[in-house]
Amino acid sequence: MTASLRGLQRCFNHLGYPLVAGVDEVGRGPLAGPVVAAAVVLPAATTLAGVKDSKALSFTRREELFHMIVSNAITYGIGVVGAVDIDRLNILQATFLAMGRAVSRMHLYPDLVVVDGCQRLPLSLCQYALVKGDARCQAVAAASILAKVVRDRIMAYYHRCYPEYGFDRHKGYGTVAHRQAVGVWGLSPVHRRTFKVKP
């Protein structure tokens, strides 16, 4: 898997794009919390063992890889859009905003932005939309890990603020326990009002 992930990135490098940024997001589906995106540029010759789609990794392994990615990346950026703005914009536009923020917070402009999914970002940069990019491109997989770790940390903080909802367990997703907690306690300030939150 690692070899194939690295191979696609080498193809982009050979096509004249030395700085390839992978971009991915986490948190489109939850009922609470932010959508978080990350953008990562890895060195052309770097292969990071174990980097793959964050959903296929354990919590402990993601934390380990987070530090490895941050230590090896040429540059990276994180973009966060909270529940209030998700409700104001809608989740698709909030996702685009988070991804744009992630790209803008890198200290170097990439030659190519590889976006996980089938839609390009509203940015004036060279882009390539790659369906299942987190399983096909190492930089996108790395971005998915950074985004997931950051979002999980945010939800752990929200758990300390609002422990009655169990954000440490479900991370804001619509589990039965989460919906039952909303039925008892109502909506917290970090719930998305435009989502079907009630049990």
Side-chain angles (χ1 to χ4, degrees):
M1 177 64 77
T2 301
S4 62
L5 285 171
R6 189 66 196 90
L8 183 58
Q9 194 163 326
R10 285 199 181 97
C11 288
F12 290 132
N13 297 148
H14 291 321
L15 288 171
Y17 303 106
L19 293 179
V20 177
V23 180
D24 201 3
E25 55 73 30
V26 174
R28 289 183 66 163
L31 307 179
V35 59
V36 177
V40 182
V41 176
L42 296 173
T46 296
T47 298
L48 298 180
V51 170
K52 56 184 176 180
D53 177 8
S54 63
K55 295 185 290 295
L57 299 166
S58 69
F59 172 86
T60 301
R61 187 60 176 144
R62 283 195 301 267
E63 286 284 344
E64 293 170 351
L65 290 170
F66 179 94
H67 296 290
M68 182 190 300
I69 292 163
V70 168
S71 298
N72 284 276
I74 292 173
T75 183
Y76 69 94
I78 303 293
V80 180
V81 176
V84 171
D85 285 330
I86 290 171
D87 289 335
R88 179 176 61 86
L89 296 169
N90 76 49
I91 187 58
L92 178 61
Q93 295 305 315
T95 299
F96 287 160
L97 178 58
M99 288 180 164
R101 285 177 176 173
V103 171
S104 70
R105 286 170 182 164
M106 295 190 294
H107 71 263
L108 294 172
Y109 281 106
D111 301 299
L112 176 68
V113 175
V114 181
V115 185
D116 183 53
C118 59
Q119 293 178 292
R120 290 159 51 92
L121 304 179
L123 299 174
S124 57
L125 291 170
C126 187
Q127 297 179 51
Y128 186 81
L130 185 63
V131 176
K132 296 185 178 178
D134 50 8
R136 300 170 65 190
C137 177
Q138 183 177 231
V140 177
S144 78
I145 292 168
L146 296 196
K148 175 64 173 167
V149 169
V150 169
R151 189 177 189 281
D152 283 357
R153 291 175 180 178
I154 291 171
M155 296 311 296
Y157 169 76
Y158 286 157
H159 174 69
R160 294 193 293 273
C161 298
Y162 313 104
E164 60 271 23
Y165 296 97
F167 290 140
D168 61 327
R169 298 188 301 277
H170 52 67
K171 306 301 189 289
Y173 285 87
T175 64
V176 172
H178 184 187
R179 291 178 182 277
Q180 288 174 341
V182 170
V184 173
W185 299 99
L187 300 179
S188 75
V190 299
H191 277 95
R192 304 172 184 179
R193 265 63 180 171
T194 52
F195 282 50
K196 293 180 180 178
V197 180
K198 293 183 179 180

